Amino acid sequence: MSDPIQDLRDLHALVVHPRDRSADELMQQVNRIGCNFDHMWPVPKTLPEKFDLVFVDVTDQSAQQLKSFIGNNAKPPSVVAIIGYENPSVLELIFEIGAHSVLMKPVRAAGVLSSMLMARRFQQEQLRFKKDLTKLREKLDNVQKVNDAKFILMRHRGITEREAYDLIRKQAMAKRTTTTEIAQSIINAESILSNMGDT
């Protein structure tokens, strides 16, 4: 099992915050944790791909600007939003930009490590959920294709659902492919035949 603290030390962090006491405190603590980090201000238009985690002061920033800055990478970073106060508009902004964790200003050393760990964990769970959801959708799509192909065979050949499935499976084995591929071929052939009938 990986050590979450050691994993943080392998990250390249970016602090996007005006240069003040909070920024200095934050950078000192990130340095103590052992991360490589850089500092930028104001919020840049694009985020270099080398950064795995971003601390960003969202005070007086637009959601559109922040989303453009954070979301332009193929591999989005973990995001820790830094806020000076809590009100509905700030909370809405945090949700809209998809922040994974929050730090309050003035930033203190206590809380930086936990915000980083929470951000990384939350993002990893999001990515895992997204991957699982994609697989599930693909599986459901494949099941639907096989069902559609079965009904085409049942209609054209006057056979049962079980016989139609066995036919698809036998073809898949004979051609050394998947039942989904055979099902797609049947659906494509039906579409071509239907179009020929229309013309």
Side-chain angles (χ1 to χ4, degrees):
M1 190 172 175
S2 64
D3 176 359
I5 307 294
Q6 184 55 51
D7 290 345
L8 288 182
R9 294 189 181 114
D10 296 331
L11 301 181
H12 202 141
L14 176 64
V15 176
V16 183
H17 195 289
R19 196 62 191 262
D20 58 14
R21 185 175 292 181
S22 281
D24 290 342
E25 188 70 38
L26 175 56
M27 288 188 284
Q28 284 173 21
Q29 185 61 10
V30 170
N31 187 50
R32 284 188 205 109
I33 291 165
C35 289
N36 291 314
F37 70 92
D38 289 324
H39 173 263
M40 291 184 186
W41 190 259
V43 177
K45 281 189 169 59
T46 58
L47 175 68
E49 293 208 3
K50 66 179 179 177
F51 294 112
D52 308 294
L53 186 144
V54 174
F55 295 92
V56 58
D57 183 358
V58 301
T59 309
D60 300 326
Q61 303 296 324
S62 74
Q64 185 177 359
Q65 181 188 7
L66 290 170
K67 284 197 289 186
S68 174
F69 159 62
I70 293 164
N72 68 338
N73 283 355
K75 185 185 169 189
S78 304
V79 178
V80 180
I82 302 171
I83 62 174
Y85 44 85
E86 294 175 312
N87 64 28
S89 62
V90 170
L91 296 174
E92 187 178 336
L93 175 64
I94 291 167
F95 290 131
E96 196 172 341
I97 67 172
H100 303 106
S101 186
V102 176
L103 266 178
M104 286 292 297
K105 290 197 286 186
V107 175
R108 300 282 183 255
V112 173
L113 176 59
S114 58
S115 74
M116 294 171 74
L117 289 170
M118 286 296 293
R120 292 300 289 175
R121 176 70 180 272
F122 182 36
Q123 187 192 31
Q124 285 163 5
E125 287 185 353
Q126 273 187 324
L127 292 172
R128 190 159 49 245
F129 175 72
K130 191 174 180 181
K131 190 176 178 182
D132 290 346
L133 188 60
T134 300
K135 282 183 183 176
L136 182 60
R137 281 177 174 161
E138 188 177 309
K139 190 173 180 180
L140 288 172
D141 186 47
N142 291 343
V143 168
Q144 186 60 52
K145 282 180 184 175
V146 172
N147 281 337
D148 290 348
K150 281 192 298 185
F151 289 122
I152 290 168
L153 291 175
M154 289 163 66
R155 189 168 67 248
H156 283 284
R157 297 206 170 192
I159 57 179
T160 66
E161 185 177 349
R162 181 71 214 179
E163 289 169 332
Y165 179 73
D166 287 343
L167 196 58
I168 292 169
R169 192 165 56 82
K170 282 176 187 172
Q171 281 292 309
M173 290 171 68
K175 296 184 183 298
R176 295 185 178 179
T177 185
T178 63
T179 54
T180 304
E181 288 288 332
I182 296 299
Q184 186 64 63
S185 298
I186 293 167
I187 293 165
N188 291 346
E190 166 77 355
S191 177
I192 291 167
L193 288 171
S194 296
N195 290 335
M196 288 173 69
D198 291 341
T199 55

